[in-house]
Amino acid sequence: MPEIRLDVLAAHLGAEVRGDGALTVTRVQPLDEAGPGDLSFLHNSRYVEAARASRATAILVEDAHLLPDQTVLVCADPYLAMARALDELHPQPLPAEGVHPSAWVADDVALAAGVSVGPNAVVEAGCQLGERVVVGAGCLIGRDVVIGEGSRLHQGVIIRERCRVGSRCVFQPGVVIGGDGFGFATVDGVHHKVPQVGIVVIEDDVELGAGVCVDRATLGETVIGRGAKIDNLVQIAHNVRVGAGSILVSQVGIAGSTTLGQYVVMGGQAGAAGHLKIGDGAQITAKTAVFKDVAVGETVSGNPARPHREFMRSQAAVGRLADLRRRVAALEKRIDEGEG
């Protein structure tokens, strides 16, 4: 495990040391678990007391006055600085370059410098893998797939034929890119499959969590925009377009031909019906079901989705229903007694 002086680490992070810069740290730990030799971070005011009680050698913090008696690294965003510190102190090992003896790579595949193809992986004919691409154990890359430089496919990723992946993408285990979209024409009680002949395009700097499925377009392209981050077990149907910088949390489902603008956020288990438009910067809270278009910058909640403030007022009213029932019953009793 690497050991680094605080003044050196601060220079790498764009931070300022308040305390002894000659101290060294070897790892990043949570406030309540950190001890000597550990770096921790304070990015939420709720944890100030935990930070003051922490035994960490140094703490990343935005406001040094919160921890006047401790060694701190002052930075604009402690959470981002922590992420960069993790890169310094917990570097991820890269697999060896080259093709593992148990892998199968077609003769005409273009492998750029530094590519790694792991055990039992398959790379079919016509593929192009950019510099430093990592294909993990058991991955399947279909024919004519293009993958940009620096992208990493963890174990068991499947990318079907003709799909395109940008640079510096990260796919966690079990991602499936380019499976058939769910398209059937039902006539006289029989479901006839509609061939799905389009592709999936994943732009640069996209991360897909474990088990994410992105279906190929019926015609044309299903697109995941630059810098989008998608959590585990998300389903993206055929011809969907996810805008740049969007965040989709676990178990989100998006039906076919819906378009998300840039920097849309969808909370866990939220869903959107097909052929909708969700505007730039919209926020869809957890478990929300969207059945109509969402305006730019709007926040919606509930099933069916409605403006978040309206939803919260309705939820507050639901909380008062039991009391209202008791009051109505008492009034009915008084009326009945009066009539008697």
Side-chain angles (χ1 to χ4, degrees):
M1 190 174 295
E3 182 178 74
I4 187 168
R5 283 171 54 117
L6 291 180
D7 50 6
V8 174
L9 180 60
H12 292 173
L13 303 180
E16 177 187 354
V17 179
R18 300 284 180 89
D20 186 355
L23 295 173
T24 60
V25 290
T26 60
R27 62 179 184 172
V28 181
Q29 286 287 89
L31 290 167
D32 58 347
E33 298 179 21
D38 293 337
L39 176 72
S40 195
F41 60 100
L42 173 63
H43 74 291
N44 189 313
S45 59
R46 290 183 297 177
Y47 299 105
V48 170
E49 292 305 317
R52 290 172 178 168
S54 179
R55 299 172 55 244
T57 291
I59 298 175
L60 295 159
V61 66
E62 182 179 2
D63 182 359
H65 295 97
L66 294 173
L67 306 174
D69 301 320
Q70 291 163 274
T71 298
V72 296
L73 273 62
V74 182
C75 50
D77 188 328
Y79 195 59
L80 177 59
M82 181 274 293
R84 292 173 175 166
L86 285 170
D87 281 337
E88 296 279 348
L89 295 168
H90 301 261
Q92 296 296 308
L94 290 176
E97 297 178 13
V99 177
H100 191 274
S102 65
W104 183 85
V105 177
D107 293 339
D108 65 346
V109 170
L111 301 177
V115 167
S116 173
V117 180
N120 299 311
V122 173
V123 185
E124 295 184 349
C127 291
Q128 301 176 45
L129 276 57
E131 293 183 3
R132 303 181 309 284
V133 164
V134 174
V135 178
C139 290
L140 170 61
I141 313 300
R143 58 182 173 78
D144 298 321
V145 166
V146 177
I147 302 176
E149 57 91 13
S151 289
R152 182 164 189 175
L153 282 53
H154 291 277
Q155 299 90 334
V157 170
I158 296 174
I159 304 177
R160 280 188 50 187
E161 63 276 8
R162 298 183 291 108
C163 294
R164 303 200 301 272
V165 176
S167 299
R168 300 174 302 280
C169 292
V170 178
F171 297 168
Q172 299 297 334
V175 165
V176 178
I177 304 297
D180 281 358
F182 191 73
F184 297 89
T186 302
V187 178
D188 297 329
V190 178
H191 307 303
H192 301 271
K193 184 176 179 63
V194 176
Q196 307 290 296
V197 299
I199 64 171
V200 174
V201 176
I202 309 288
E203 296 182 352
D204 296 344
D205 301 303
V206 169
E207 179 151 356
L208 304 180
V212 169
C213 295
V214 184
D215 291 348
R216 69 176 51 246
T218 307
L219 301 168
E221 300 174 350
T222 302
V223 179
I224 309 298
R226 179 187 298 268
K229 309 299 179 186
I230 299 178
D231 198 4
N232 300 341
L233 300 175
V234 169
Q235 158 65 17
I236 298 173
H238 55 197
N239 295 95
V240 166
R241 290 181 173 262
V242 175
S246 292
I247 293 177
L248 309 182
V249 184
S250 60
Q251 298 183 32
V252 159
I254 305 174
S257 299
T258 284
T259 297
L260 277 61
Q262 297 184 25
Y263 295 97
V264 170
V265 176
M266 296 185 69
Q269 298 186 337
H275 302 275
L276 302 180
K277 291 186 178 180
I278 298 174
D280 293 350
Q283 297 193 40
I284 317 298
T285 64
K287 293 183 179 290
T288 293
V290 179
F291 295 107
K292 61 181 183 180
D293 293 351
V294 178
V296 171
E298 186 175 14
T299 299
V300 296
S301 300
N303 183 359
R306 53 195 184 278
H308 182 66
R309 289 181 181 273
E310 177 185 323
F311 170 77
M312 295 302 291
R313 286 195 297 268
S314 68
Q315 291 299 103
V318 169
R320 295 194 296 270
L321 285 178
D323 181 57
L324 289 172
R325 288 184 61 190
R326 287 192 295 268
R327 292 170 63 186
V328 169
L331 288 170
E332 289 176 336
K333 182 178 180 181
R334 291 173 59 185
I335 291 169
D336 290 343
E337 290 171 347
E339 291 177 349

